[in-house]
Structures are given as C-alpha cells and as structure tokens.
Amino acid sequence: MDAQNFAYALTQVIHNFGAAAVVGGAGAAIYMRPPDPLRERALAWLVGIAWAVQIGSGALFGAISFYYYGRFPDISGIATAALFVKAIGAGLGVLLIVIYLLRAAYWTEARRKQVWHGLIGLGIIALTAAAFLRWFS
C-alpha cells in the first residue's frame, strides 16, 4: 500500500466529516423546532470543533506533501484563491462560534438564527472553494 496516498485518504475522510458537521450542525440549529438554546449551544460546540478539524486537516494536507516531497504543494491562480477563501471562511467560522458561545445567552432567537445562517453560509462557501481548490491544483 502506498503510505502517502493512504495518509491523504485518511486526512480527506477527516476533512469530509468536518465539512459535514460544519454545514449539518448549522442547518440543524436553524431548523430545530422548538428552538432550544441549550441544544443550540451543544451544536455550537460541535460546529466549532468541526471548524477546528477543517483547519487542522487542511494544514495536514500541506504537511503530508511537505513530508513526502520536501515542499508544500505547488498551487497557483484559482487554487490559491480558493485556498485563501477557505482559510478566511474557516477563520470567520471559528470567530462566529466563539462570539456565539460567549454572547448567545443574551441574544434573541432571531439574532441566534442570523448567526447560524452566517455559519451555514460560510460552510457552503468553504465547500465550494474546496471543489475549486481540488480541481485547479
């Protein structure tokens, strides 16, 4: 078995589950009936951990390339822009989750839903950028 491809495949599995949790967790919070701030808080932790998994597994892709090739992947143009979009989206996702966990107890249901909509939007943007990164690198 090719260890490099196996490492990439395992990292991709982790990355995919992280992406599913980012979008699925936010979607679950949006459509939860009746709204439940305690369950939303648990989902916020799930989504925050999922964003961290996205960041960590994304970095791991680069680390695997560096380990096997002695350099990071050679990407340019659209792939570089997509990576930038993903990184900004993940950073904003983590920031929104931290703000949510610190402040949501004082917010109205409408405000909490706005944040969840923002989080699902960031997840969709990151997933879309991932497709461009994958196929243009």
Side-chain angles (χ1 to χ4, degrees):
M1 175 184 334
D2 180 1
Q4 177 187 0
N5 284 331
F6 186 67
Y8 279 128
L10 284 179
T11 303
Q12 188 66 58
V13 168
I14 293 165
H15 203 68
N16 289 352
F17 278 108
V22 161
V23 174
I30 290 169
Y31 295 106
M32 185 183 311
R33 293 290 178 254
D36 182 347
L38 289 177
R39 286 180 30 209
E40 286 179 31
R41 185 170 179 79
L43 284 170
W45 276 105
L46 172 73
V47 172
I49 290 167
W51 275 118
V53 165
Q54 290 298 100
I55 293 166
S57 58
L60 189 55
F61 283 123
I64 292 168
S65 292
F66 192 82
Y67 178 79
Y68 283 99
Y69 296 110
R71 63 184 175 85
F72 293 109
D74 183 22
I75 62 173
S76 61
I78 292 172
T80 302
L83 180 59
F84 180 76
V85 167
K86 280 183 57 123
I88 294 298
L92 289 173
V94 169
L95 179 64
L96 272 179
I97 285 294
V98 168
I99 292 168
Y100 185 95
L101 288 169
L102 293 173
R103 306 294 303 160
Y106 308 105
W107 292 345
T108 64
E109 178 188 343
R111 169 65 64 101
R112 291 192 319 270
K113 294 297 182 202
Q114 286 176 330
V115 172
W116 285 116
H117 280 282
L119 285 163
I120 202 167
L122 288 170
I124 290 168
I125 289 168
L127 282 168
T128 302
F132 282 86
L133 175 59
R134 174 73 177 118
W135 291 106
F136 285 92
S137 57

